[in-house]
């Protein structure tokens, strides 16, 4: 049996949510998951989708997913694809699902005239890092991810509002 990569549809919401929960468990971040099925349906399949999902099927059953969205490089002057999450069920690892998902993303990037495909990986996830290196990925060592969320996001936003 081979791996089939397909675009997710709204009927895949339960599967996508289950993959997100499994990924969070693997990354020891289950406590951080706020996404629910309704939220995912709205942002993935609603009137203004914010991201896309690919599903890897093996033997007629979903075994992995990739959630991604477009970004834009001002230096390149072209869009890119950002892979937010890639996850393959532990029992399906070694079947080629991860490589098939990344290969499809690379093909989408080329088809959409994207300059690059990029993602982040936890620094302790050595199996994933080794896998990505085997596909030609390279680290962006000079860059550090920055994030503003929660109260800091609200405070920053409030500072942009005109004072009365």
């Amino acid at each position: 049996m081979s791996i089939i990569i397909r675009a997710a549809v709204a009927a895949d919401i339960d599967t996508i949510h289950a993959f997100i929960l499994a990924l969070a468990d693997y990354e020891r971040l289950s406590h951080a998951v706020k996404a629910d099925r309704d939220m995912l349906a709205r942002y993935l399949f609603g009137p203004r989708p914010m991201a896309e999902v690919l599903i890897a099927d093996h033997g007629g059953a979903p075994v992995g997913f990739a959630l991604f969205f477009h970004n834009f490089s001002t230096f390149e002057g072209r869009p890119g694809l950002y892979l937010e999450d890639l996850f393959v069920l532990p029992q399906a690892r070694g079947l080629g699902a991860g490589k098939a998902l990344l290969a499809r993303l690379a093909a989408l990037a080329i088809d959409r005239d994207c300059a690059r495909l990029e993602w982040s990986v936890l620094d302790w996830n050595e199996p994933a890092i080794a896998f990505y290196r085997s596909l030609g990925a390279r680290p962006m060592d000079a860059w550090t991810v920055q994030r503003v969320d929660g109260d800091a996001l609200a405070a920053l936003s409030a500072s942009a509002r005109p004072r009365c």
Side-chain angles (χ1 to χ4, degrees):
M1 286 182 249
S2 63
I3 300 293
I4 306 293
I5 304 299
R6 62 179 177 82
V9 296
D12 290 312
I13 285 296
D14 288 339
T15 298
I16 294 166
H17 190 250
F19 281 140
I20 290 168
L21 295 175
L23 172 62
D25 184 56
Y26 174 76
E27 292 182 342
R28 303 176 205 127
L29 293 170
S30 294
H31 63 280
V33 177
K34 297 175 185 170
D36 62 29
R37 289 163 187 84
D38 291 338
M39 197 182 293
L40 292 170
R42 182 169 125 208
Y43 291 118
L44 297 177
F45 303 106
R48 188 171 177 227
M50 298 290 179
E52 299 173 63
V53 176
L54 296 176
I55 302 283
D57 286 327
H58 182 261
V63 297
F65 88 123
L67 188 145
F68 65 99
F69 53 88
H70 284 94
N71 57 15
F72 192 84
S73 169
T74 54
F75 288 5
E76 293 282 345
R78 294 169 49 204
L81 287 185
Y82 187 84
L83 173 61
E84 180 66 24
D85 284 319
L86 174 78
F87 180 75
V88 175
L89 294 172
Q91 63 270 26
R93 293 182 187 153
L95 298 175
K99 183 176 181 179
L101 285 163
L102 284 167
R104 177 63 63 85
L105 286 168
L108 284 173
I110 297 294
D111 290 348
R112 297 177 184 187
D113 194 33
C114 294
R116 56 189 169 216
L117 167 62
E118 54 192 357
W119 61 93
S120 297
V121 60
L122 291 167
D123 57 8
W124 59 259
N125 195 345
E126 293 180 19
I129 292 169
F131 170 63
Y132 298 146
R133 294 296 174 278
S134 77
L135 299 176
R138 59 186 172 83
M140 302 298 294
D141 292 331
W143 296 88
T144 302
V145 175
Q146 302 294 306
R147 177 178 294 169
V148 178
D149 61 3
D151 292 341
L153 180 63
L156 183 57
S157 172
S159 73
R161 296 192 179 116
R163 304 275 182 212
C164 296

